[in-house]
Amino acid sequence: MEYMPNFQLHRPTSAEEAVKLRSEEPEALYVAGGTDMIVNVRRGIEQPENLIDLSGVTELKTITEDDEGLHIGAGITLNEIATNEKIKADYQAVAEAAAAVAGITHQQYGTLGGNLCLDTRCLFYNQSEWWRQSNDYCMKERGDICHVAPGGKRCFAAFSGDVAPAMLVYQAEVELVGPEGSRRIPLSEMYQNDGMNHLTFNPGELLTVVHLPKALAGSPSRYEKARIRGSIDFPLAGTAVRLEMDGKKVKDIAIALTGVNPFPQIVKGTEDYIGKAFDDASLDALRDNVRKQAKPMKTTTVAPWYRRRVIGALARRLTEELAG
Ligand SMILES: Cc1cc2nc3c(=O)[nH]c(=O)nc-3n(C[C@H](O)[C@H](O)[C@H](O)COP(=O)(O)OP(=O)(O)OC[C@H]3O[C@@H](n4cnc5c(N)ncnc54)[C@H](O)[C@@H]3O)c2cc1C
């Protein structure tokens, strides 16, 4: 890994100040826990002249609750989420996903905002400077072609954050603050299917709060991922399932995926199961539907066909478990 390059570090103490700094220096980048950003800076993937450190912005570090639900600040650490009794009880998959990120030391520093805004990853991108240079770089960074799909015009780098799918099955919404003011949108609309530009942020926007609705508090859910090293690794494929049963029949179901597309994705077609009981045939059909919608490419050392098989198997297993 390269030496740390020179850059100017700004230390705002409010979200407003952070956004103002960002609009004065449009090429500046936000850094929260730094567990991903600093690796990318040291690899030369990011070459910022200005970094805006969010760790002193205390307003991002609160968890509040009201009639609408739970409001989690973007600066809350993954460890705080994984160990929060309210989140564990009411939004179980969210706590499980936070506990599944990297290793425990990353969870102490890594934040919710950093995890949801995580850059997409690829075998040809998350490499040292000399490695990328000797491959003529790639479309996502200084190069012209995508080594994963050299004939194409798109980047297939995969979104590999663990927490997003768990938030998606609970229909989370996010608060974004930018130079033009703030807006609140469904988390699902914060992403798009583009490995080079997977966040739909307007220039300079800062993620401040994630809202989890009270209406879904206590709705049973699980998160599970496949990874190479069990102690510390990104998901090769990860899935969150939320399933409410009414006796033996499905009352409500949502499934979301990570690691298998350039964006965290809600699985379509799950409403077809509502009002029906699960049996082996319908669980197999659910598994196959998940596999169809996952489109892993050669962005990791593990073959896409395996990741597609695994994601379907995980979704089937979690659904069966939750269905009791
Ligand atoms: C060895 C290793 C293993 C890892 N394994 C995993 C894993 O298994 N699963 C996983 O999900 N991640 C993993 N990570 C990545 C990372 O540790 C986590 O995703 C972490 O949650 C990132 O949070 P952070 O606060 O450190 O983000 P940072 O590194 O500070 O920032 C990440 C990105 O988010 C942006 N950002 C941060 N906060 C905000 C905000 N409030 N508004 C707008 N943009 C923002 C930054 O500009 C940057 O682009 C791993 C990292 C390493 C080094």
Side-chain angles (χ1 to χ4, degrees):
M1 204 167 276
E2 275 68 42
Y3 291 119
M4 187 78 98
N6 285 328
F7 50 78
Q8 179 95 29
L9 188 66
H10 303 266
R11 294 203 153 126
T13 53
S14 69
E16 191 188 354
E17 194 190 342
V19 170
K20 186 164 177 288
L21 280 163
R22 178 72 170 69
S23 49
E24 285 164 3
E25 296 287 352
E27 303 305 318
L29 298 172
Y30 294 125
V31 58
T35 58
D36 198 63
M37 174 59 82
I38 297 303
V39 178
N40 288 350
V41 169
R42 289 196 58 189
R43 282 181 159 158
I45 291 172
E46 300 286 7
Q47 301 175 331
E49 289 186 9
N50 293 278
L51 276 180
I52 301 168
D53 174 11
L54 301 174
S55 63
V57 183
T58 47
E59 72 200 80
L60 300 182
K61 297 182 181 184
T62 60
I63 301 183
T64 58
E65 195 189 355
D66 58 21
D67 289 348
E68 206 199 322
L70 204 61
H71 313 285
I72 311 176
I76 290 291
T77 66
L78 298 168
N79 181 252
E80 287 169 301
I81 291 174
T83 56
N84 181 291
E85 293 304 326
K86 175 87 190 154
I87 299 175
K88 284 200 298 192
D90 285 352
Y91 307 99
Q92 186 178 334
V94 174
E96 286 182 352
V101 172
I104 186 71
T105 44
H106 295 83
Q107 291 162 27
Q108 307 276 349
Y109 287 93
T111 63
L112 175 60
N115 196 265
L116 296 179
C117 301
L118 194 65
D119 194 5
T120 53
R121 298 182 61 79
C122 180
L123 191 57
F124 295 93
Y125 176 67
N126 299 94
Q127 298 287 354
S128 62
E129 175 68 24
W130 66 263
W131 195 101
R132 284 176 293 117
Q133 187 184 34
S134 60
N135 280 281
D136 284 337
Y137 299 100
C138 75
M139 190 187 272
K140 188 165 161 68
E141 206 266 327
R142 275 181 274 176
D144 298 320
I145 64 161
C146 171
H147 297 293
V148 168
K153 291 193 166 58
R154 308 187 38 202
C155 162
F156 291 98
F159 180 81
S160 307
D162 281 300
V163 181
M167 290 288 186
L168 286 174
V169 296
Y170 280 106
Q171 300 170 14
E173 295 189 344
V174 287
E175 202 88 34
L176 305 177
V177 177
E180 310 301 326
S182 70
R183 60 187 178 123
R184 180 167 165 166
I185 57 169
L187 175 64
S188 57
E189 291 176 16
M190 198 177 92
Y191 300 106
Q192 60 191 2
N193 191 0
D194 179 349
M196 283 174 70
N197 187 25
H198 70 299
L199 296 174
T200 59
F201 283 6
N202 294 323
E205 275 185 326
L206 177 75
L207 168 62
T208 53
V209 189
V210 180
H211 305 281
L212 282 165
K214 191 176 195 111
L216 294 178
S219 184
S221 68
R222 293 290 318 278
Y223 175 77
E224 210 174 316
K225 72 197 256 193
R227 52 182 151 181
I228 297 178
R229 297 166 295 181
S231 58
I232 174 175
D233 231 327
F234 287 93
L236 298 166
T239 185
V241 178
R242 184 179 61 76
L243 177 63
E244 271 181 61
M245 300 296 286
D246 183 6
K248 289 209 170 311
K249 298 207 170 136
V250 175
K251 188 170 164 216
D252 193 13
I253 178 167
I255 302 177
L257 315 177
T258 188
V260 287
N261 278 308
F263 69 124
Q265 168 192 16
I266 298 173
V267 173
K268 295 185 190 125
T270 53
E271 62 282 356
D272 294 352
Y273 298 102
I274 293 174
K276 297 175 190 156
F278 275 121
D279 57 18
D280 277 345
S282 57
L283 284 167
D284 285 351
L286 177 144
R287 178 196 62 201
D288 295 345
N289 182 33
V290 167
R291 283 182 181 154
K292 260 189 219 139
Q293 293 182 47
K295 306 257 185 277
M297 301 285 284
K298 183 107 190 69
T299 54
T300 76
T301 51
V302 175
W305 67 263
Y306 175 80
R307 287 156 60 208
R308 186 176 289 120
R309 284 189 70 79
V310 159
I311 197 112
L314 287 176
R316 187 193 193 286
R317 187 166 77 208
L318 292 183
T319 306
E320 190 173 18
E321 270 176 37
L322 286 164

